[in-house]
Amino acid sequence: MYSIDLSGKKAVVFGVANHRSIAWAIARILHEAGAGIAIAYQNERLRGGVAKLVEPWGDTMLVECDVSSDENVAVAFEKIGEAFGSIDIIVHSIAFANRDDLGGKFMLTEREGFRLALDISAYSLVSIARHASPLMIENGGSIITLTFQAANRVFPGYNIMGTAKAALENEVRQLASDFGEDNVRVNAISAGPLDTLSSRVISDYRDMKRIHAERSPMKRNITAEEVAKTALYLCSDLSSGVTGEIIHVDTGYSIMGI
Ligand code: NAD
């Protein structure tokens, strides 16, 4: 428990698949800080697991939202608007690419795999921000997303997801500009490797994680809780002057040249 008080704030968290999801660590810390939480999960298959996770919290809003369609996003925000009235915090913790596009030569990425990865992993933030906008601009708020250093540098195996993260980071700056005068801040956390459903399908993930621990200044990997703590800062008034930023939570790995 940290001494940041988010009571009275309402947060929508996208991207909880299971207890390992980064979104779950963030949802937990926001809940502990007193925020009301709605969890937007991808599909019916995940609903039971997500419901079990939030069971100890009592009544928590669960809303299905596959972000591959704008209509789904619109319907989800309609339901959230009816329940919450307004929203203070959005957590976007979503990514997807075909397994075949997360390994081998990047040049072999085909048009459909490229489209799919960019659509789900990058465009979804634009769609979510647009549909959340009417519920956020009156009181201001914070939107955060999750990125990875492969946006800027080559991580073999990360392939098309690096391209998607580069697009996502650009969106963070453009959305921060769009929303600036409404006092809605938009930032990203660039996290180091963490064992989750998504990272497991990256072909060189194990090496990536080992090398990260060996070469980062702090000589270890990060924890999901460390990402959540930075999310808490970005969602709170402590970061009131921060927008359009990509904050690294990576035990310093990204600063090293060799
Ligand atoms: P995860 O698999 O737990 O989360 C990914 C989420 O995306 C899942 O909840 C999944 O349901 C959701 N999703 C995928 N397609 C969707 C769709 N069409 N509609 C709605 N939701 C959809 O894995 P994670 O590692 O917690 O990933 C969360 C975010 O963190 C991703 O953006 C990922 O790229 C980023 N990230 C992860 C790491 C890592 O090492 N795990 C490092 C840096 C950044």
Side-chain angles (χ1 to χ4, degrees):
M1 181 76 164
Y2 301 93
S3 56
I4 291 177
D5 185 11
L6 295 181
S7 42
K9 303 285 184 197
K10 285 159 272 178
V12 185
V13 179
F14 286 82
V16 179
N18 61 22
H19 72 285
R20 290 184 185 277
S21 295
I22 297 173
W24 175 237
I26 297 174
R28 259 193 347 246
I29 209 166
L30 296 178
H31 169 77
E32 282 166 16
I37 311 283
I39 306 270
Y41 60 93
Q42 182 183 356
N43 54 34
E44 190 53 37
R45 197 174 48 81
L46 296 179
R47 187 185 169 91
V50 174
K52 258 210 184 98
L53 288 175
V54 298
E55 207 173 75
W57 297 354
D59 216 11
T60 303
M61 181 171 190
L62 298 183
V63 53
E64 187 170 318
C65 184
D66 183 325
V67 298
S68 59
S69 131
D70 283 334
E71 202 187 323
N72 294 348
V73 178
V75 169
F77 277 103
E78 221 170 273
K79 290 181 185 159
I80 293 163
E82 277 166 24
F84 276 2
S86 62
I87 301 171
D88 306 284
I89 294 163
I90 302 242
V91 177
H92 172 276
S93 187
I94 290 176
F96 184 78
N98 287 327
R99 186 183 283 259
D100 289 352
D101 291 326
L102 295 170
K105 292 270 190 210
F106 173 65
M107 72 170 103
L108 298 178
T109 310
E110 291 193 0
R111 196 174 296 268
E112 180 49 24
F114 185 102
R115 190 204 60 74
L116 179 69
L118 273 281
D119 183 10
I120 305 300
S121 316
Y123 180 74
S124 60
L125 179 67
V126 179
S127 180
I128 286 171
R130 183 170 69 250
H131 289 92
S133 170
L135 299 170
M136 290 191 92
I137 55 175
E138 206 172 306
N139 303 324
S142 173
I143 299 176
I144 62 170
T145 186
L146 272 299
T147 185
F148 184 64
Q149 300 158 52
N152 305 312
R153 299 190 290 158
V154 176
F155 286 72
Y158 212 79
N159 295 24
I160 186 58
M161 197 53 76
T163 316
K165 293 305 190 193
L168 184 74
E169 293 185 12
N170 179 273
E171 288 168 22
V172 165
R173 293 183 282 273
Q174 299 209 52
L175 291 170
S177 169
D178 277 0
F179 275 118
E181 285 183 339
D182 301 312
N183 201 28
V184 175
R185 299 178 293 104
V186 186
N187 293 287
I189 298 173
S190 183
L194 283 168
D195 297 350
T196 62
L197 277 179
S198 294
S199 60
R200 275 214 314 247
V201 295
I202 298 163
S203 61
D204 294 327
Y205 171 73
R206 295 255 148 255
D207 286 341
M208 198 187 288
K209 191 176 168 198
R210 179 181 50 78
I211 292 168
H212 185 104
E214 282 170 12
R215 300 194 190 161
S216 66
M218 296 174 78
K219 299 283 178 254
R220 65 168 175 85
N221 286 116
I222 62 158
T223 66
E225 204 208 1
E226 287 173 323
V227 177
K229 286 190 286 185
T230 295
L232 180 61
Y233 155 74
L234 286 173
C235 294
S236 81
D237 192 53
L238 288 182
S239 59
S240 59
V242 179
T243 196
E245 283 293 335
I246 315 295
I247 299 187
H248 290 86
V249 178
D250 65 349
T251 55
Y253 182 82
S254 57
I255 65 165
M256 300 304 288
I258 189 166

